Amino acid sequence: NKVMETVKYQFADGRQAQKDHVQTANFTQHGVQDLVTKTIVWAPSDPQTFVSVDTPKIIGYTADIQNVPAVTVNFGDEDIIKVVTYKANDQLAGIKYIDDTTGKTLDTEAASGKFGTRIEFMRDPSSMIQKFEGQGYKFKSNSFNGQKYQADNSKNQFEVHFTHGTQNVSRTNKVMETVKYQFADGRQAQ
């Protein structure tokens, strides 16, 4: 007789997350048969124990069962199947719009989602860049390009940099010098 314990590891959508962990207990039962009546009297067999199994870690996911405990089985027991389900962790992201000329932050936005999914901000960064360009800023760089949430929230932080836009301008100015000639009493002399 054989009794098996199978621990299945899967994601919440049913996809396999890790290879199954299988333990097998093989039993041999001894008995004595009466050769006239053909009846057999079976001697009890010793139980066997499946060791406890720690759930493997998967970055960005949390398992609903951290450890499948040890279990003792006997001859004739049913096979055991345990299912460990991994759910994606909640993650946070942020984006900053920075004026490099003054060093000031122009705007910020936060977002949240599940590990491994695409980060989406409520205000599209491309639209925000156009908005600031319309205010005279010159786009310099953008570290966000539709990335997915990482397990380390510090890797979900992005920056868009601007400088002040400039243009060449000119102006003219006219300066006049006037010499007045007058007598001591204030009358115009010339």
Side-chain angles (χ1 to χ4, degrees):
N1 181 265
K2 177 166 72 172
V3 178
M4 295 176 63
E5 178 187 62
T6 304
V7 181
K8 296 181 172 287
Y9 301 102
Q10 66 185 30
F11 293 111
D13 63 6
R15 291 179 298 124
Q16 185 175 11
Q18 296 276 332
K19 184 179 172 187
D20 293 349
H21 184 275
V22 179
Q23 296 184 72
T24 304
N26 291 305
F27 292 93
T28 302
Q29 194 170 31
H30 301 283
V32 176
Q33 183 177 31
D34 182 315
L35 296 177
V36 174
T37 64
K38 304 295 185 205
T39 58
I40 302 172
V41 176
W42 294 104
S45 60
D46 292 333
Q48 294 185 36
T49 301
F50 294 126
V51 297
S52 67
V53 180
D54 289 334
T55 298
K57 305 278 185 229
I58 299 178
I59 292 173
Y61 293 88
T62 300
D64 62 348
I65 299 172
Q66 300 304 312
N67 174 279
V68 175
V71 63
T72 300
V73 292
N74 292 291
F75 182 93
D77 285 353
E78 294 288 321
D79 288 342
I80 300 167
I81 297 176
K82 297 283 186 183
V83 178
V84 175
T85 303
Y86 291 89
K87 292 183 181 173
N89 294 339
D90 292 326
Q91 303 296 155
L92 300 173
I95 190 165
K96 277 186 190 180
Y97 299 90
I98 300 169
D99 177 347
D100 286 348
T101 303
T102 64
K104 291 186 179 178
T105 298
L106 302 170
D107 203 340
T108 62
E109 186 175 352
S112 62
K114 297 289 185 184
F115 170 80
T117 62
R118 187 175 183 274
I119 299 170
E120 293 184 15
F121 292 101
M122 292 293 291
R123 297 175 296 170
D124 178 49
S126 298
S127 298
M128 292 297 288
I129 290 168
Q130 288 176 353
K131 172 190 158 190
F132 288 115
E133 286 177 329
Q135 296 173 5
Y137 289 96
K138 182 179 177 187
F139 172 73
K140 188 175 173 187
S141 67
N142 178 8
S143 64
F144 178 72
N145 61 3
Q147 286 96 327
K148 293 182 177 183
Y149 284 100
Q150 300 297 308
D152 179 353
N153 283 332
S154 69
K155 294 181 179 174
N156 299 327
Q157 301 302 312
F158 306 98
E159 294 182 349
V160 179
H161 291 269
F162 298 92
T163 58
H164 288 193
T166 60
Q167 65 182 10
N168 293 329
V169 295
S170 62
R171 64 183 179 175
T172 60
N173 188 20
K174 183 166 129 181
V175 179
M176 294 175 46
E177 178 181 47
T178 304
V179 179
K180 293 187 175 192
Y181 299 99
Q182 65 183 27
F183 293 110
D185 64 4
R187 290 180 296 121
Q188 185 173 345
Q190 287 279 343

